[in-house]
Amino acid sequence: MRIFKFGGASVKDAAGVQRVASIVQHFTADDILIVVSAMGKTTNALEDLVKSFLNGKKEDCSKQLKDLKDSHQRIIDELFPQSNEHLTNEVSELFLQLETIVESPAVGSFNQVYDQIVSFGELISTKIVSAYLNFSGFENRWLDARKLIRTDQNYRAGRVNWNLTRRLVLDNVKSGNSYITQGFIGSDDNFNPTTLGREGSDYTASVMAYVLQAEEVTIWKDVPGVLNGDPKVFQGTELLKKISFREAIELAFYGASVIHPKTIQPLQERGVPLRVRSFSDLEQEGTTISEGVNLEPFLPCFIRKSQQQLISLATRDLAFIAEDHLSKIYKLFHEYGLRVNLSQHAATSSSFCVNDDPIATPALLEQLKQSFDVSVIGDLELYTVRHYDNSAVADIQSRGRKLLEQVSTDTYQIVIRI
C-alpha cells in the first residue's frame, strides 16, 4: 500500500480537489490510503471559532459558522455539476454537530475544547474529497481517523497508543481497496477527539505507513521538493534529490521546514521511504528521504530563524557557571516552554538564543533575575548552515552584525542583528 498525504493548500478550493483526483488517477493499480488536511485556512477559522466560543461571543460564533459552511458549500457546488444531495446532507450534519457544541456550555479544558472543535475541519474536507474521487471514478472508502488513531488525553499533542492503533487500523484497512482519512486527528479512550500537534497530518501518514508496512509515503506540496534553503530568503536555492533520515532530522532540529522528526522516526524504524513531490508537476521526482543515502547533491543547507532573543546571564559573585547552575537554568526554560536554539558558556556567564515569546519570556526573565544578572537583546536572527563552506559563511556573515557564533564539524551558526 502507498500512503498519500495532501495538505490544506492542496485542497483549498475546487480546483485543488480536482487536481488531487487527477493525481490519484495515475495510481489506480495501487492500493492507496489518502490522508487529507482541512481545506485552506479552515483550521485558522476554527481556531477563531474556539476563541469566540470560550469568550461567550455567540454572534461571532454564528457568523463564523455561516462563513465556514458557505465556503465549503461553494466548493461542493463547483465540484458537482448536478447537486450531490447525499454529500450536502453529510456535510450539513457535521456543521449541525459543530453548531450544537458552540451552543452548549464548554466542557473540559481549553485544549480539549480546541480539539473537539478544530477536528471538524478534517472531517468535512475528507467527506468532500472522498465524494469527488468516487464521482471521478477513483473508488475509495471514507474512514474516520478518530476510530483508528488512539491517543492519550494530552489534548493538542496526543501521544499515540501504538498497540491499540495498530489493531484498529488493521481491522479497518484491507488490501484490494483504497481509502481516505483525516490527518491530524484521533481520539482518547473515551472517544473524545484529540489532535496530534505540529505537523499532525504528516504524522498521521507516518503512523499509517508504520502500521501497514507501506511501500512508500508521498507528501504532495506546492513546491518541487525539499530545497537547500527557503527561496524567499536565500538566492540560488537548489532541489535536494536525496536526503537521509538522519540528515532530515538534523535539518528539522535546526528549524528547516523539511519534515518534523516525529514524522520521520516511525518511517525510519520500518525503513519506509518518504517522498516530497509537487502536486502541480507529476514529471518531477521530487525529494526522497530514506535510510543510508547521502545528501544529493551535496550542498550547504541554509536555515533562518527570525524573531529571536539573546538572553545573557552572569553570576553576581563571579562564581563559575557550573553544572548545578545550568541544570536549574535549563529546567526553567523547559518549564516556560522556551526552546534553546543556541547556547554558549564562559567561566561566569552564559548566553542563550531562544524564540521570542511575548507571554513566556517576561515570566522566565523574572525567575532568572532572582539568581543572575540578566541582559536581553531582541529582534535578532539565527542562521544555521549545514555542510558549510567559506562562501556560505561569508554570505551569512554579510547579513548583519554578529553577536554570537558557533562552529562544529558539520554546522555553522550565527546570531546577528540586522
Side-chain angles (χ1 to χ4, degrees):
M1 177 165 281
R2 295 173 181 265
I3 312 294
F4 284 0
K5 182 262 176 173
F6 292 93
S10 308
V11 292
K12 66 180 180 179
D13 51 25
V17 177
Q18 290 166 339
R19 184 168 49 228
V20 169
S22 69
I23 289 172
V24 298
Q25 293 290 356
H26 287 79
F27 301 92
T28 52
D30 300 301
D31 293 349
I32 300 176
L33 188 146
I34 304 169
V35 176
V36 180
S37 301
M39 293 178 152
K41 301 296 184 181
T42 298
T43 299
N44 293 342
L46 287 168
E47 288 175 341
D48 291 338
L49 179 63
V50 172
K51 295 173 187 175
S52 297
F53 170 52
L54 292 177
N55 289 326
K57 298 180 179 179
K58 291 188 175 181
E59 290 186 6
D60 289 351
C61 287
S62 296
K63 183 180 184 306
Q64 289 162 342
L65 274 171
K66 183 180 184 304
D67 289 345
L68 275 168
K69 188 172 183 179
D70 289 348
S71 65
H72 285 86
Q73 188 59 50
R74 282 194 296 272
I75 292 174
I76 294 172
D77 292 341
E78 288 184 51
L79 288 172
F80 297 94
Q82 297 178 340
S83 64
N84 187 321
E85 186 175 349
H86 179 70
L87 172 61
T88 298
N89 289 340
E90 285 191 315
V91 171
S92 295
E93 173 60 28
L94 288 170
F95 274 108
L96 182 60
Q97 293 175 25
L98 188 51
E99 186 177 348
T100 301
I101 291 170
V102 300
E103 288 180 350
S104 305
V107 177
S109 64
F110 171 87
N111 287 347
Q112 185 174 353
V113 172
Y114 177 98
D115 283 1
Q116 188 178 30
I117 290 176
V118 170
S119 58
F120 278 89
E122 277 71 20
L123 294 170
I124 294 165
S125 71
T126 51
K127 284 288 187 183
I128 295 171
V129 176
S130 176
Y132 186 73
L133 293 184
N134 278 319
F135 171 76
S136 302
F138 183 83
E139 293 186 10
N140 69 94
R141 300 181 183 183
W142 184 88
L143 295 175
D144 188 339
R146 296 172 299 179
K147 297 179 180 179
L148 302 176
I149 307 291
R150 189 57 50 83
T151 76
D152 60 10
Q153 293 184 329
N154 189 38
Y155 300 108
R156 295 193 70 185
R159 291 181 284 262
V160 173
N161 178 330
W162 286 94
N163 289 333
L164 186 50
T165 295
R166 180 179 183 276
R167 189 160 74 243
L168 293 170
V169 171
L170 293 178
D171 283 347
N172 287 277
V173 177
K174 305 298 180 183
S175 62
N177 300 291
S178 289
Y179 300 87
I180 186 167
T181 193
Q182 306 79 40
F184 186 53
I185 70 174
S187 70
D188 64 21
D189 287 338
N190 297 317
F191 303 103
N192 296 310
T194 59
T195 60
L196 303 179
R198 180 186 166 197
E199 306 297 335
S201 290
D202 288 354
Y203 187 47
T204 299
S206 175
V207 170
M208 293 295 186
Y210 179 90
V211 170
L212 296 167
Q213 301 186 49
E215 177 184 340
E216 183 179 78
V217 174
T218 302
I219 296 177
W220 298 90
K221 289 177 170 282
D222 57 354
V223 293
V226 179
L227 305 178
N228 71 324
D230 183 345
K232 297 176 183 176
V233 179
F234 304 100
Q235 294 183 346
T237 55
E238 296 184 41
L239 176 70
L240 299 173
K241 296 180 180 179
K242 294 181 181 179
I243 307 175
S244 70
F245 284 130
R246 184 170 296 278
E247 182 66 33
I249 288 175
E250 290 280 356
L251 291 170
F253 172 80
Y254 290 112
S257 56
V258 188
I259 302 294
H260 196 279
K262 72 178 182 183
T263 296
I264 293 173
Q265 286 157 356
L267 301 178
Q268 182 180 30
E269 189 169 336
R270 278 280 194 240
V272 178
L274 170 65
R275 295 178 67 190
V276 181
R277 297 185 63 182
S278 169
F279 58 63
S280 59
D281 187 357
L282 289 180
E283 299 300 316
Q284 287 268 9
E285 288 296 314
T287 301
T288 300
I289 303 172
S290 59
E291 188 65 68
V293 298
N294 293 320
L295 188 66
E296 181 185 321
F298 190 82
L299 297 168
C301 297
F302 299 86
I303 304 152
R304 182 187 72 174
K305 291 177 74 74
S306 55
Q307 295 182 312
Q308 300 292 293
Q309 284 189 329
L310 189 62
I311 300 174
S312 297
L313 310 178
T315 55
R316 292 182 176 135
D317 57 359
L318 297 183
F320 289 152
I321 290 270
E323 286 79 2
D324 61 332
H325 291 114
L326 290 175
S327 66
K328 292 174 185 176
I329 293 167
Y330 278 105
K331 183 179 179 182
L332 283 171
F333 278 117
H334 175 72
E335 288 176 355
Y336 285 92
L338 284 170
R339 177 185 161 184
V340 177
N341 297 318
L342 178 65
S343 64
Q344 204 166 85
H345 311 290
T348 62
S349 63
S350 289
S351 296
F352 304 88
C353 180
V354 301
N355 297 336
D356 184 359
D357 186 320
I359 296 175
T361 303
L364 168 69
L365 294 177
E366 288 303 313
Q367 287 287 327
L368 292 171
K369 286 176 182 177
Q370 294 179 20
S371 304
F372 303 95
D373 290 330
V374 180
S375 64
V376 182
I377 305 174
D379 198 23
L380 306 177
E381 293 185 339
L382 168 64
Y383 285 87
T384 302
V385 187
R386 288 277 295 165
H387 313 298
Y388 61 91
D389 57 23
N390 290 337
S391 175
V393 170
D395 173 61
I396 298 303
Q397 289 179 340
S398 69
R399 292 174 178 250
R401 183 166 70 87
K402 177 176 68 176
L403 299 180
L404 199 66
E405 183 180 48
Q406 194 152 280
V407 184
S408 66
T409 304
D410 294 318
T411 307
Y412 173 81
Q413 292 186 283
I414 185 171
V415 179
I416 65 173
R417 170 178 269 173
I418 300 299

